[in-house]
Amino acid sequence: MTSSTGDELRAAVAARRDLGPDFEDSIIESFLDKMGKEVDRRVDERMAADSGHVRRELQQQQNVAGMRLALAIVSLVMGTIATVALTIGESDLLAYLAVWGGVALVNIAFTLSSTRR
């Protein structure tokens, strides 16, 4: 209990002593109403703090998804250009494997680094 909650409880008990048992129900209702409002206020504060965190997390996930899409597009374009260049130069299978293996390694490295964050 915080001091304000404790103060409210002490005030309710003191009011009960001063006013007697005839006002007990009203005193209890008033105390519970104040405590309910305090709980609501605290819950609202926590939800506001949590929603800010959730928004930042969602934005970060969207940024990573955008970077993944960009990397996929650039990888395919660069891999295709390299493949066409190798085909014109009549390169061997090892050159093709090096190009597409490099593309795969870059994509794997990015995926692993983004999942660690």
Side-chain angles (χ1 to χ4, degrees):
M1 257 189 212
T2 64
S3 63
S4 65
T5 305
D7 292 344
E8 289 290 334
L9 181 57
R10 282 188 279 286
V13 170
R16 171 26 178 110
R17 277 191 216 122
D18 293 344
L19 298 174
D22 295 338
F23 292 96
E24 190 171 280
D25 289 341
S26 298
I27 293 169
I28 291 171
E29 277 184 44
S30 174
F31 175 76
L32 291 177
D33 184 53
K34 289 177 185 177
M35 292 304 99
K37 287 178 182 175
E38 177 66 14
V39 168
D40 289 345
R41 183 189 65 77
R42 290 179 185 183
V43 167
D44 290 343
E45 284 178 2
R46 286 185 183 143
M47 287 180 66
D50 288 346
S51 70
H53 174 73
V54 168
R55 264 188 255 120
R56 284 189 300 277
E57 184 74 26
L58 181 60
Q59 183 64 43
Q60 184 179 14
Q61 288 174 356
Q62 289 172 340
N63 290 343
V64 170
M67 289 189 294
R68 278 190 183 135
L69 178 61
L71 179 61
I73 291 169
V74 169
S75 295
L76 289 174
V77 168
M78 296 304 289
T80 302
I81 290 171
T83 300
V84 169
L86 290 173
T87 303
I88 292 171
E90 297 182 19
S91 295
D92 60 354
L93 180 63
L94 188 58
Y96 293 108
L97 290 175
V99 167
W100 287 103
V103 168
L105 285 175
V106 167
N107 282 275
I108 290 169
F110 177 81
T111 300
L112 290 175
S113 71
S114 66
T115 56
R116 288 186 192 145
R117 291 181 206 162

